């Protein structure tokens, strides 16, 4: 009996993990006129980085329900994430949305909105993914750079970062790790390496 209870506890713990393997499927969802070439680029990047299967989904319009004009016309990333999750096909384990539109969220710390509210209530971001979760979104709106090499590097880093959150990886204190917090500065992303630190690798 005690062996059965031990097995049950271990099985329960295992079910709480967001583990990935070669059977894990991540859907890549382009919105609006997001270029097919960039969608393919992100799909291949996620596939090779995490060792999972990626599927490119048919193009969709961004959800009107996520549109706001609190500070400027843009889309709420948290709303996109929730709608994506609700509509996610059963064949997928995770989904990442890709858009060239500006996205935002309310920036919080310890569950409370940061001050001043005028700045953080509708905070423009590059990407968002709940940790853990099944859905995330990335926008190229704030990733632009005159050098295409830097632009593509930023795009793939942010995509891998947000998928990492979905897989259960929190922000990392190692500034070279791809899971490091951008701390409101895009230069932080440029300084990151395209890799997970050993601590983050062990968490996966």
């Amino acid at each position: 009996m005690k062996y059965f209870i031990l097995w049950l506890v271990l099985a329960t713990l295992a079910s709480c993990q967001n583990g990935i393997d070669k059977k894990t499927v991540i859907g890549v969802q382009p919105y609006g006129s997001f270029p097919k070439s960039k969608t393919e680029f992100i799909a291949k990047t996620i596939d090779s980085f995490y060792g999972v299967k990626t599927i490119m989904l048919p193009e969709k319009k961004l959800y009107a329900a996520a549109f706001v004009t609190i500070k400027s016309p843009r889309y709420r990333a948290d709303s996109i994430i929730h709608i994506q999750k609700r509509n996610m096909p059963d064949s997928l384990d995770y989904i990442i949305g890709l858009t060239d539109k500006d996205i935002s969220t309310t920036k919080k710390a310890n569950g409370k909105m940061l001050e001043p509210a005028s700045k953080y209530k509708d905070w423009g971001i590059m990407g968002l993914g709940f940790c853990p979760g099944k859905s995330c979104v990335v926008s190229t709106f704030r990733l632009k750079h005159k050098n295409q090499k830097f632009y593509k590097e930023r795009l793939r880093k942010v995509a891998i970062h947000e998928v990492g959150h979905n897989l259960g990886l929190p922000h990392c204190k190692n500034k070279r790790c791809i899971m490091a917090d951008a701390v409101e500065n895009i230069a932080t992303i440029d300084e990151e390496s395209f890799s997970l630190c050993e601590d983050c690798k062990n968490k996966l």
Side-chain angles (χ1 to χ4, degrees):
M1 181 66 179
K2 64 180 181 181
Y3 294 110
F4 173 75
I5 293 174
L6 176 60
W7 174 84
L8 187 61
V9 170
L10 291 174
T12 302
L13 288 173
S15 68
C16 294
Q17 303 298 315
N18 264 26
I20 55 172
D21 55 34
K22 292 180 179 179
K23 295 182 180 179
T24 300
V25 182
I26 299 180
V28 184
Q29 177 65 69
Y31 289 108
S33 58
F34 196 85
K36 183 179 179 180
S37 60
K38 291 180 184 176
T39 305
E40 291 176 342
F41 173 67
I42 292 303
K44 290 177 181 178
T45 296
I46 295 171
D47 184 315
S48 60
F49 191 94
Y50 287 114
V52 298
K53 181 180 179 181
T54 54
I55 294 178
M56 289 174 54
L57 302 173
E59 179 186 294
K60 278 186 179 181
K61 288 184 178 180
L62 256 181
Y63 311 107
F67 183 75
V68 294
T69 54
I70 298 171
K71 288 199 297 188
S72 62
R74 51 194 180 192
Y75 293 81
R76 292 285 294 191
D78 39 359
S79 296
I80 294 172
I81 286 172
H82 287 305
I83 299 171
Q84 277 185 166
K85 184 180 177 183
R86 286 201 304 269
N87 297 322
M88 187 171 73
D90 294 336
S91 58
L92 301 180
D93 297 298
Y94 302 90
I95 185 169
I96 176 173
L98 302 175
T99 179
D100 56 6
K101 302 298 184 183
D102 197 13
I103 60 174
S104 63
T105 191
T106 299
K107 192 165 185 179
K108 300 178 180 179
N110 301 317
K112 294 183 179 181
M113 182 175 64
L114 297 179
E115 296 292 341
S118 59
K119 180 178 181 181
Y120 292 113
K121 184 178 181 180
D122 191 53
W123 178 250
I125 56 176
M126 297 165 280
L128 184 69
F130 294 147
C131 181
K134 295 290 184 180
S135 173
C136 64
V137 62
V138 170
S139 167
T140 60
F141 188 86
R142 296 171 185 273
L143 299 177
K144 295 170 184 174
H145 195 286
K146 59 184 179 181
N147 185 318
Q148 280 297 299
K149 181 180 179 181
F150 276 98
Y151 165 74
K152 292 182 73 173
E153 190 70 9
R154 286 174 175 177
L155 176 56
R156 70 175 189 153
K157 283 181 179 178
V158 174
I160 291 300
H161 180 102
E162 301 309 339
V163 171
H165 280 323
N166 277 181
L167 299 177
L169 295 177
H171 280 142
C172 182
K173 293 180 180 179
N174 186 332
K175 293 181 180 180
R176 291 289 293 160
C177 179
I178 203 167
M179 293 309 298
D181 190 350
V183 291
E184 303 183 13
N185 190 345
I186 197 167
T188 308
I189 296 173
D190 295 333
E191 293 168 4
E192 294 171 357
S193 64
F194 188 68
S195 62
L196 294 169
C197 68
E198 288 303 314
D199 285 344
C200 289
K201 284 180 183 178
N202 292 333
K203 288 176 183 176
L204 278 181

